[in-house]
C-alpha cells in the first residue's frame, strides 16, 4: 500500500520525531509498502490530497502529533491512519487527567484497581503570568502528599523535557519556570522512588496485550532529557526479575501486575493499535504517570526494544498495524 509517514513538525520533540519517522519508513519499506515521507508543515493537506495515500502513519511526537490535532485533521480528510482517534489523544494529552480516567473506567467496568498514580497539583501558566500563583509556591509542601522531594514537569508532552526533581522550596521556582518554557501548564507531584519501567502495548480493547516491560536505569540522578539525549542510561528488556524481588516467583507475580497495570491505563483511555505506559514500581504498587499514544521509534526508543524482546520484528508489527488501519477505514 501507499503509506504516508508524518514526521518532524514544529514541537519541541521535532528531532526525535524525524528520527522515528526515518526508522518507520525503513521498516514499512522492508515490509513491502510504498512510503511517502512527509515533514509536516503548511503544505501537508495539499500534499495529502495530491498523494492520496491508502494509510497514514503518524510519527509526530509532542504537540500536534499526540494531542488530537493531526488525528482530527486526518478524520476530517477521510484518510485511515494508524493509532488512536482524536478524542482519545486529546484526553490523554493532559497527564493530570490519568486519575480521573482510571476512576471513571473502574466505575463503569467494576474491574479491580491495579494501577495507581502520584498525587500532585496542576497549575496553568496564565495563573503564574496573570494571577500571581508564584507567590503561593510555599503551599506546595502541604498540597503534595509527603512534601519534598517533588517532581516538576510540563503537563503535556514527552521526551523528559522540562522534568526536574526538586528537593526544597528554594529550587522550586526555577524548575517551574523551566517546565513552563515547554508548555502552558505544569504538574507538581510526588517524587516516587523505585524501578522505572515502560510497558508497550499492542492491540485494542480486550484484545490488547502488553509487551515485555523495559527497565530504565539512568546513569545520572534520574532519567531526564539529558540522560536520554546523551545516552546516559541502561535498558533491560524484559525487566530484570532481581530488580523486583529476590524471590523469583514473587518477581514474576510483580511483573504480571506491572503488565496488568499498563493494560488498565491503556483500556481506560480507549487507546487503539499501540501505546506505551510509563510507571515506577515503588515496591508495593505500579505508580503510572504517563500514557504515550505515539511511541518513539528511534534506535534508542523503548517500543522497538519491547518488540524485539517479544520476538516481534518492527517491520512485521508496523505492517500489521497499517493493514488493520486500512481495513478499519476512518473510524472514530
Amino acid at each position: 500500500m501507499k503509506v504516508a509517514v508524518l514526521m518532524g513538525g514544529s514541537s519541541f520533540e521535532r528531532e526525535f520525531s524525524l528520527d522515528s519517522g526515518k526508522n518507520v519508513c525503513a521498516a514499512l519499506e522492508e515490509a513491502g509498502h510504498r512510503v511517502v515521507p512527509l515533514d509536516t508543515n503548511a503544505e501537508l493537506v495539499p500534499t495529502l490530497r495530491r498523494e492520496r495515500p491508502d494509510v497514514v502513519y503518524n510519527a509526530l511526537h509532542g504537540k500536534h502529533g499526540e494531542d488530537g490535532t493531526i488525528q482530527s485533521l486526518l478524520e476530517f480528510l477521510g484518510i485511515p491512519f494508524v493509532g488512536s482517534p482524536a478524542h482519545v489523544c486529546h484526553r490523554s494529552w493532559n497527564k493530570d487527567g490519568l486519575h480521573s480516567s482510571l476512576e471513571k473506567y473502574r466505575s463503569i467496568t467494576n474491574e479491580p484497581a491495579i494501577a495507581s498514580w502520584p498525587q500532585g497539583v496542576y497549575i496553568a501558566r496564565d495563573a503564574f503570568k496573570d494571577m500571581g500563583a508564584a507567590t503561593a509556591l510555599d503551599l506546595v509542601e502541604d498540597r503534595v502528599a509527603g512534601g519534598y522531594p517533588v517532581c516538576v514537569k510540563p503537563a503535556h508532552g514527552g521526551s523528559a523535557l522540562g522534568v526536574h526533581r526538586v528537593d526544597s522550596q528554594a529550587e522550586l521556582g526555577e524548575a517551574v519556570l523551566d517546565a513552563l518554557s515547554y508548555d502552558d501548564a505544569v504538574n507538581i507531584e510526588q517524587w516516587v522512588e523505585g524501578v522505572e519501567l515502560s510497558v508497550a502495548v499492542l492491540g485494542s480493547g480486550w484484545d490488547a496485550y502488553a509487551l515485555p516491560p523495559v527497565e530504565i536505569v539512568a546513569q545520572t540522578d534520574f532519567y531526564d532529557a539529558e540522560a536520554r539525549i546523551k545516552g546516559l542510561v541502561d535498558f533491560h528488556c524484559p525487566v530484570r526479575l532481581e530488580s523486583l524481588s529476590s524471590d523469583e516467583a514473587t518477581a514474576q507475580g510483580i511483573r504480571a501486575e506491572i503488565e496488568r497495570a499498563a493494560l488498565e491505563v491503556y483500556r481506560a483511555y480507549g487507546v487503539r493499535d499501540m501505546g506505551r505506559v510509563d510507571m515506577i514500581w515503588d515496591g508495593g504498587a505500579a505508580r503510572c504517570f504517563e500514557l504515550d499514544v505515539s511511541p518513539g521509534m528511534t534506535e534508542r526508543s523503548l517500543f522497538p526494544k519491547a518488540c524485539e524482546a517479544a520476538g516481534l520484528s518492527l517491520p512485521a508489527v508496523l505492517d500489521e498495524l497499517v493493514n488493520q488501519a486500512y481495513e478499519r477505514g476512518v473510524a472514530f
Side-chain angles (χ1 to χ4, degrees):
M1 285 186 287
K2 188 176 186 179
V3 183
V5 178
L6 309 187
M7 64 185 83
S10 58
S11 81
F12 291 109
E13 300 177 61
R14 172 179 170 81
E15 294 304 317
F16 295 118
S17 173
L18 290 172
D19 286 345
S20 282
K22 178 181 176 182
N23 285 346
V24 168
C25 287
L28 289 174
E29 286 174 349
E30 184 176 334
H33 297 285
R34 178 187 171 195
V35 176
V36 181
L38 296 177
D39 190 345
T40 306
N41 54 35
E43 294 301 310
L44 177 62
V45 170
T47 304
L48 287 172
R49 297 188 75 183
R50 182 177 63 253
E51 292 286 349
R52 299 177 64 83
D54 297 305
V55 175
V56 163
Y57 184 99
N58 170 38
L60 292 168
H61 302 321
K63 190 175 182 180
H64 299 160
E66 299 180 65
D67 61 0
T69 300
I70 196 66
Q71 293 81 6
S72 61
L73 175 61
L74 294 171
E75 288 168 358
F76 171 67
L77 295 174
I79 304 174
F81 60 92
V82 173
S84 295
H87 69 91
V88 171
C89 298
H90 179 73
R91 191 155 52 91
S92 66
W93 177 238
N94 185 354
K95 299 170 189 173
D96 190 56
L98 176 63
H99 64 283
S100 59
S101 294
L102 279 169
E103 288 170 353
K104 181 178 180 181
Y105 172 77
R106 289 167 180 170
S107 70
I108 294 171
T109 64
N110 292 317
E111 288 294 307
I114 302 170
S116 63
W117 53 88
Q119 183 271 332
V121 294
Y122 168 99
I123 311 174
R125 178 195 290 153
D126 286 350
F128 288 96
K129 180 181 176 182
D130 302 326
M131 303 172 191
T135 64
L137 289 179
D138 60 297
L139 299 176
V140 164
E141 190 167 11
D142 294 327
R143 294 291 186 270
V144 177
Y148 293 100
V150 297
C151 179
V152 174
K153 62 185 181 184
H156 314 91
S159 300
L161 296 170
V163 178
H164 297 267
R165 173 184 165 130
V166 175
D167 292 302
S168 68
Q169 186 180 335
E171 304 170 12
L172 186 57
E174 184 178 351
V176 168
L177 283 175
D178 184 63
L180 289 175
S181 71
Y182 293 97
D183 194 23
D184 58 5
V186 63
N187 281 351
I188 306 173
E189 62 189 27
Q190 292 171 301
W191 183 267
V192 181
E193 293 285 356
V195 183
E196 187 161 2
L197 301 155
S198 186
V199 184
V201 180
L202 281 170
S204 304
W206 291 104
D207 292 328
Y209 59 96
L211 299 183
V214 181
E215 178 185 355
I216 302 165
V217 182
Q219 298 169 15
T220 53
D221 291 339
F222 66 98
Y223 186 43
D224 59 2
E226 181 181 11
R228 176 174 181 150
I229 293 169
K230 294 183 178 180
L232 301 175
V233 60
D234 297 314
F235 300 110
H236 304 277
C237 190
V239 56
R240 296 171 297 179
L241 293 179
E242 59 267 28
S243 296
L244 303 176
S245 174
S246 57
D247 178 74
E248 183 176 350
T250 300
Q252 291 284 10
I254 292 171
R255 173 178 163 175
E257 183 169 346
I258 287 166
E259 293 174 359
R260 288 197 300 270
L263 286 170
E264 183 185 16
V265 172
Y266 191 89
R267 290 170 178 147
Y269 278 99
V271 181
R272 185 175 71 191
D273 293 344
M274 63 176 178
R276 199 190 73 232
V277 179
D278 298 333
M279 66 180 74
I280 291 176
W281 176 258
D282 70 358
R287 307 291 296 278
C288 301
F289 51 85
E290 184 172 349
L291 166 66
D292 189 341
V293 295
S294 181
M297 295 292 175
T298 72
E299 292 182 359
R300 287 188 290 189
S301 291
L302 307 182
F303 193 93
K305 294 181 189 301
C307 288
E308 182 180 359
L312 305 172
S313 75
L314 191 60
V317 169
L318 298 188
D319 177 57
E320 182 176 355
L321 292 175
V322 163
N323 283 313
Q324 288 175 351
Y326 179 76
E327 292 172 3
R328 179 172 62 229
V330 184
F332 299 93

